[in-house]
Amino acid sequence: MKSYILLWIVPLVASVLGGSLSKVETYRWCVPLELLDDCARLTRAAVTELECVGGIDRLDCLRKVQNREADFLLADPEDVYVASHFNNQDFVVFSELRTAEEPTAKFRYEGIMLVRASDNFQSLADLRGKRSCHTGFGRNVGYKIPVTRLQRAGVLKLPAADGSLSPVERELAGLSDLFSASCLPGSYSSDASVDRLLKGRYANLCERCDQPQRCAKDDRFAGYEGAIRCLVENGGDVAFSKTIYVRKYFGLPVTPGGAPAPALNPNARTEDYAYLCEDGTTRPIADGQPVCSWAQRPWQVLLGNGDLNGQPRKLQTLFQQLYRYWTDANNQISDADRTTAQRLWIEKKAPIVDRQDTVAPREYLAQANYAEVIEREGRFGNKLRLCVVSEDERQKCELMRQAAYSRDIRPALECVLKTVDACVAAVNDGSDADVVVLKQPNVQLKPLMWETYGDVMVAIADKTITRERLHTGPVALDTSNGQAVAAARVLSAKLPSLQTVDVSSPNSASAPVRIVRSKTLAGMADNVEKVLVCPDLSFQPLSNAANCHLESSVNSERNAGAVYVRKDVDEALQDSIVHAFTALSDTFGRGQPREQVFRMFGPYRLRDGTVKHHLIFNDYASVLTVNK
């Protein structure tokens, strides 16, 4: 009898002990590397079974999730669009980040057209000749959605895509022709000269703004509320905005059926205005009436891989636990920690709403017609052919192309792989390429834009300095700054006996050479009397900091990368290249808000997991400019 009991007890005990000793299942959350320590601290403090994994940027995290090196990430709808075009992708959306104001709304916002009821619209064709009010150039509900849907309806007609106009100018020309006057505020190009040119050429697009001569994004009639004010208070005929701001402006409940709030404009009457629908009919804006929206912007999401398909409950529970810990008012959380949590998209005003079922990226975007908004000119519209000189560069170019396209950077890039000499030849004759980025000067092509460096170390001296005086030193620098110390070593490699002195020392005043940050040069009162001391001990003007800097012994020997085009490039193509590369730099460059999405300047992880440096652009570049 005992043997039977033992035979039964032993496996039972083993099962119990094995269950208690087995490894707890954890889920890996991928975040950009600069957020990795913050992520680890937040998940550890909340005692969740979440592990943090670092990616170079958010699109690198997409790769990690796809390759099962991580389980999920937090993503914008544009990132979801990029994910939907990965080869062999099996991503799933399993939760959404909504707003405390609209936690039950299916979409983040819905794009609408608001018109005067007295205009008696019968069809969309009645928009021709009207005065339009837009939230801003390049914005979703005020620009992208109307351009997309009005083109589809045949109302907005763009000039022929024959290469004479850039994609941006084609859209502006079409809008200028459709509407008699508009307020379309904002920068039409990241390049100030192109922006001025376009606003001068299509001046009626700024005519209804409060300050037409500026036509800036901070205009009184810019933004969601501003577009409605432009319609109601400034003689507009149609406003492109979103439903929640219509409700706020007229004092309607934010959530249908809820309690009304005080109107932003008590004198405006709801019966005087109506929603214009895609079929040309109108609907009243009163509470309880259905809204006809043209397109929607999806929510930010939690995006995982196919391993979560149909069974995300455990992960959803863990992330809700993390969210509650850092947003619960009863927890004693410091302001600094709350700010840290916000950098990871965890904040009380953005509740996590779990989906009952997972959904694939393409289907998720299709529910809001959002892919159509991104692809409004067609996926095979104007292309800018960028020639790259290695397979590694081609891989980076392809991901940069997808990132740029999803973020509305036009013309769309097309990556062409050739040798350096073949790239130069192809750009020179325009046969297979339009532009190439080179790190060495090239006399066959014309440099159009240059890398610049916002945070590299340079050595400066008086113009009267001699080579003999340079040898005697000393060099003044901030010895507590590791970057400055490393820069001094670059000079010491050529001048082993060169002495250094801290800038706080009395002896620093007589030092013939100082090491400073390049971005401080412009603000120096005596900069016209200074020169740069280069790593080869030559002297150069301060304007040549891009090439004459002391970033490191490796980087100092590199030339600044430049964007090259053929010498006889036509004006339209040149403007398109400047616009596209400026937009790339302003979007994904160093210190820019979306650098965490895609790191244009910096290391890049290839598909085999190898991290490479200085692909296409130098890692240490900060921005591209048209002035060297």
Side-chain angles (χ1 to χ4, degrees):
M1 182 68 177
K2 288 182 180 179
S3 61
Y4 285 106
I5 294 174
L6 286 172
L7 287 172
W8 179 78
I9 290 176
V10 169
L12 175 63
V13 171
S15 174
V16 171
L17 290 176
S20 64
L21 296 176
S22 63
K23 184 178 179 181
V24 176
E25 183 181 15
T26 61
Y27 290 89
R28 297 161 298 174
W29 175 13
C30 191
V31 299
L33 275 173
E34 59 264 42
L35 298 177
L36 183 59
D37 290 343
D38 291 338
C39 178
R41 187 165 61 82
L42 263 60
T43 54
R44 189 166 52 246
V47 195
T48 62
E49 294 155 22
L50 293 173
E51 176 187 340
C52 298
V53 175
I56 291 173
D57 48 43
R58 210 182 299 160
L59 297 193
D60 187 39
C61 278
L62 276 180
R63 292 281 188 213
K64 284 182 172 288
V65 171
Q66 182 184 36
N67 295 336
R68 274 50 178 181
E69 298 169 31
D71 297 304
F72 74 101
L73 75 155
L74 275 62
D76 284 326
E78 291 78 11
D79 306 326
V80 176
Y81 177 84
V82 173
S84 74
H85 288 88
F86 274 15
N87 292 331
N88 304 314
Q89 66 87 14
D90 66 342
F91 296 101
V92 292
V93 173
F94 61 91
S95 296
E96 296 170 327
L97 283 75
R98 297 189 180 177
T99 63
E101 202 169 34
E102 295 183 288
T104 61
K106 186 176 181 181
F107 304 107
R108 182 176 174 184
Y109 53 72
E110 298 180 286
I112 54 88
M113 289 201 303
L114 190 66
V115 297
R116 297 179 184 279
S118 59
D119 282 346
N120 296 316
F121 276 83
Q122 301 299 313
S123 72
L124 293 184
D126 294 339
L127 285 170
R128 180 160 293 280
K130 292 292 193 289
R131 294 161 295 191
S132 62
C133 302
H134 306 257
T135 56
F137 174 79
R139 296 183 62 170
N140 277 295
V141 299
Y143 185 83
K144 296 179 188 178
I145 289 175
V147 166
T148 301
R149 308 303 281 188
L150 292 178
Q151 276 190 84
R152 178 177 176 177
V155 175
L156 177 62
K157 301 182 185 301
L158 306 189
D162 58 5
S164 61
L165 298 178
S166 68
V168 170
E169 186 167 1
R170 289 181 64 232
E171 291 179 348
L172 294 174
L175 290 170
S176 177
D177 175 66
L178 175 61
F179 298 115
S180 61
S182 303
C183 179
L184 178 60
S187 296
Y188 296 177
S189 172
S190 300
D191 181 77
S193 61
V194 176
D195 180 54
R196 287 192 298 271
L197 175 69
L198 293 174
K199 286 177 178 174
R201 192 171 288 171
Y202 306 104
N204 67 320
L205 294 180
C206 295
E207 188 177 314
R208 300 308 302 173
C209 290
D210 186 50
Q211 299 182 56
Q213 70 283 3
R214 291 184 65 239
C215 197
K217 65 180 181 180
D218 60 352
D219 192 88
R220 180 170 179 263
F221 298 127
Y224 303 117
E225 180 188 327
I228 300 171
R229 288 192 182 280
C230 171
L231 165 67
V232 178
E233 304 170 23
N234 196 42
D237 298 314
V238 55
F240 299 97
S241 190
K242 61 183 185 180
T243 51
I244 187 173
Y245 278 86
V246 173
R247 293 180 175 278
K248 288 180 176 181
Y249 187 83
F250 290 97
L252 299 170
V254 169
T255 302
L264 295 177
N265 183 353
N267 297 320
R269 304 190 312 164
T270 57
E271 58 266 33
D272 292 336
Y273 299 90
Y275 293 120
L276 178 60
C277 304
E278 200 162 1
D279 61 3
T281 62
T282 58
R283 292 182 186 174
I285 63 174
D287 186 36
Q289 297 294 323
V291 175
C292 53
S293 64
W294 290 52
Q296 300 79 28
R297 177 171 172 80
W299 297 104
Q300 293 171 316
V301 301
L302 276 70
L303 187 67
N305 56 44
D307 292 351
L308 295 173
N309 195 14
Q311 47 185 355
R313 297 291 175 264
K314 175 73 181 296
L315 177 52
Q316 289 173 334
T317 300
L318 289 174
F319 208 84
Q320 290 287 4
Q321 178 186 338
L322 178 71
Y323 173 82
R324 285 193 299 272
Y325 180 89
W326 289 104
T327 59
D328 190 338
N330 294 321
N331 288 343
Q332 294 184 343
I333 307 297
S334 69
D335 290 342
D337 281 346
R338 290 197 190 279
T339 299
T340 298
Q342 288 169 6
R343 287 200 294 270
L344 289 157
W345 297 9
I346 299 173
E347 54 183 323
K348 194 170 186 63
K349 66 179 183 180
I352 309 295
V353 177
D354 297 327
R355 293 183 61 91
Q356 295 303 308
D357 57 336
T358 58
V359 59
R362 291 180 187 177
E363 182 182 345
Y364 183 72
L365 297 175
Q367 293 170 358
N369 294 322
Y370 199 64
E372 182 179 314
V373 172
I374 292 174
E375 300 170 358
R376 62 183 182 275
E377 81 290 358
R379 285 188 57 79
F380 303 100
N382 284 13
K383 296 288 182 70
L384 190 62
R385 299 168 298 174
L386 171 60
C387 202
V388 293
V389 300
S390 69
E391 169 58 21
D392 293 351
E393 285 198 352
R394 189 196 66 79
Q395 288 191 31
K396 180 177 180 179
C397 180
E398 285 294 337
L399 195 58
M400 181 171 70
R401 174 187 65 79
Q402 294 182 62
Y405 190 81
S406 72
R407 301 284 172 173
D408 202 41
I409 295 174
R410 301 293 188 273
L413 294 177
E414 180 180 335
C415 305
V416 180
L417 175 60
K418 295 179 181 290
T419 64
V420 174
D421 290 344
C423 273
V424 171
V427 172
N428 195 33
D429 63 23
S431 58
D432 296 317
D434 302 306
V435 60
V436 62
V437 179
L438 300 174
K439 297 186 177 76
Q440 298 292 335
N442 187 282
V443 296
Q444 294 176 258
L445 303 175
K446 177 175 74 171
L448 192 59
M449 303 179 74
W450 287 265
E451 294 176 344
T452 57
Y453 310 100
D455 197 24
V456 292
M457 290 294 177
V458 294
I460 61 171
D462 289 336
K463 280 185 175 180
T464 56
I465 192 170
T466 63
R467 186 65 63 89
E468 292 72 22
R469 183 71 180 95
L470 177 62
H471 278 70
T472 60
V475 176
L477 68 148
D478 178 1
T479 55
S480 66
N481 185 318
Q483 192 176 5
V485 172
R489 292 197 197 103
V490 175
L491 290 180
S492 298
K494 292 293 179 90
L495 299 172
S497 62
L498 189 65
Q499 299 296 308
T500 60
V501 60
D502 190 83
V503 289
S504 62
S505 167
N507 296 331
S508 68
S510 60
V513 180
R514 284 186 294 148
I515 291 178
V516 299
R517 295 186 183 278
S518 60
K519 64 182 180 182
T520 66
L521 296 177
M524 291 182 178
D526 59 347
N527 60 8
V528 294
E529 301 299 326
K530 301 292 183 182
V531 292
L532 296 172
V533 181
C534 302
D536 62 358
L537 305 186
S538 64
F539 304 124
Q540 297 285 337
L542 297 192
S543 60
N544 201 26
N547 291 318
C548 177
H549 59 80
L550 309 176
E551 176 68 14
S552 73
S553 58
V554 175
N555 292 345
S556 63
E557 296 173 0
R558 292 177 176 269
N559 282 300
V563 177
Y564 281 87
V565 297
R566 65 178 180 271
K567 291 182 178 179
D568 62 346
V569 63
D570 63 80
E571 183 181 354
L573 178 57
Q574 178 167 306
D575 287 349
S576 290
I577 292 170
V578 170
H579 176 84
F581 278 85
T582 303
L584 276 170
S585 177
D586 288 351
T587 304
F588 304 119
R590 195 172 306 282
Q592 298 301 324
R594 294 189 176 91
E595 185 185 11
Q596 288 185 3
V597 174
F598 176 79
R599 206 170 297 278
M600 181 175 174
F601 306 117
Y604 178 78
R605 194 186 315 276
L606 302 177
R607 288 176 183 165
D608 65 3
T610 306
V611 175
K612 291 295 184 74
H613 296 272
H614 307 295
L615 295 181
I616 305 179
F617 308 101
N618 285 307
D619 284 5
Y620 50 84
S622 295
V623 68
L624 295 177
T625 64
V626 292
N627 297 312
K628 188 172 181 180

